[in-house]
Amino acid sequence: MRIRDLILPEDKIFFTLFKDMAGKIAEAATTLNEITHELPEGTEKSHKVRQLEHLGDEVTRHIYEHLNESLITPLEPDEIARLAPAFDDVLDKLDWVTHQLATYEIPQSNDVLKEYSYLILMTSHEISDALDALATLNHPDDVRSHVTEISRLYNLSGELLSRAVLDLFKTQDLLMIIKLKDIYESMAKVMEKCNDVGHALSDISMSHT
């Protein structure tokens, strides 16, 4: 036990706020999945993701406010400062891809959009579970297990992007090629940011073993 832990109780508000962010990510990912299954209808749900992104900004602001005010924290200050923008980045990218789906006038969904949104949804659940495991600071193997799954899903998304882009260029509609390629790459960016969260959670867990 660290000496500072004997002096002051840890401020648990940070894990509460991070769980709030993880919940918003999962809700946004669920909404994205719904949109990709309902095209061309359902794009009005992008406004829900925009609201979640704004709420996430508020949570991130509260995290930094508490970080500046707290004498003691359950994680190191630099670890909290690393996690906060990582979570926020995921929400930002989810907001952007749902915005694209709402404005690009995609006439119908396809298997790539559905599969990508499913990978994002599954990854959001793994992030939530990894955070729950981290909150105890006693189960690094559980954190590592969820992070490994995040990495696996990320690798699958990279393979999906490569196949999807190759298939796109076999079609004849140039404008639709441009639109879908842009959306696919935005979905890939969501997965990249999710993987960044996974790396951060893994590193933090290892530092507290």
Side-chain angles (χ1 to χ4, degrees), residues 15 18-19 22 83 87 122-150 194 197-202 204-205:
F15 279 120
F18 281 129
K19 287 191 69 169
L83 267 183
F87 275 98
M122 292 300 99
T123 304
S124 74
H125 292 163
E126 294 297 330
I127 287 174
S128 293
D129 291 343
L131 183 63
D132 287 342
L134 178 66
T136 67
L137 296 179
N138 292 319
H139 300 287
D141 289 342
D142 290 345
V143 176
R144 191 178 303 111
S145 175
H146 292 299
V147 170
T148 298
E149 181 62 10
I150 291 171
C194 287
V197 170
H199 285 312
L201 292 170
S202 178
I204 292 168
S205 176

Side-chain angles (χ1 to χ4, degrees), residues 94-153:
L94 279 165
D95 175 44
W96 177 244
V97 74
T98 53
H99 170 75
Q100 289 175 308
L101 286 167
T103 58
Y104 281 13
E105 298 182 344
I106 306 300
Q108 61 185 15
S109 190
N110 61 39
D111 290 342
V112 174
L113 291 172
K114 293 175 183 178
E115 186 174 350
Y116 237 129
S117 67
Y118 180 74
L119 288 173
I120 291 170
L121 179 59
M122 292 300 99
T123 304
S124 74
H125 292 163
E126 294 297 330
I127 287 174
S128 293
D129 291 343
L131 183 63
D132 287 342
L134 178 66
T136 67
L137 296 179
N138 292 319
H139 300 287
D141 289 342
D142 290 345
V143 176
R144 191 178 303 111
S145 175
H146 292 299
V147 170
T148 298
E149 181 62 10
I150 291 171
S151 179
R152 186 186 74 85
L153 293 169

Side-chain angles (χ1 to χ4, degrees), residues 68-82:
N68 290 330
E69 296 169 358
S70 298
L71 295 176
I72 194 166
T73 58
L75 303 176
E76 297 299 328
D78 63 319
E79 293 172 339
I80 294 171
R82 178 182 177 186

Side-chain angles (χ1 to χ4, degrees), residues 51-91:
Q51 291 173 342
L52 288 167
E53 192 274 330
H54 289 329
L55 291 172
D57 286 341
E58 284 297 302
V59 175
T60 301
R61 182 175 62 81
H62 289 315
I63 290 172
Y64 283 114
E65 286 177 351
H66 283 289
L67 186 58
N68 290 330
E69 296 169 358
S70 298
L71 295 176
I72 194 166
T73 58
L75 303 176
E76 297 299 328
D78 63 319
E79 293 172 339
I80 294 171
R82 178 182 177 186
L83 267 183
F87 275 98
D88 191 55
D89 283 346
V90 175
L91 267 181

Side-chain angles (χ1 to χ4, degrees), residues 151-174:
S151 179
R152 186 186 74 85
L153 293 169
Y154 172 65
N155 290 334
L156 286 177
S157 74
E159 295 170 5
L160 176 60
L161 178 63
S162 297
R163 295 197 309 270
V165 171
L166 285 175
D167 289 341
L168 267 183
F169 285 107
K170 297 176 183 177
T171 64
Q172 303 299 318
D173 188 337
L174 180 58

Side-chain angles (χ1 to χ4, degrees), residues 25-35 48 94 117 121 124-125:
I25 288 171
E27 189 174 355
T30 298
T31 304
L32 171 62
N33 190 54
E34 291 172 355
I35 292 173
K48 180 180 180 180
L94 279 165
S117 67
L121 179 59
S124 74
H125 292 163

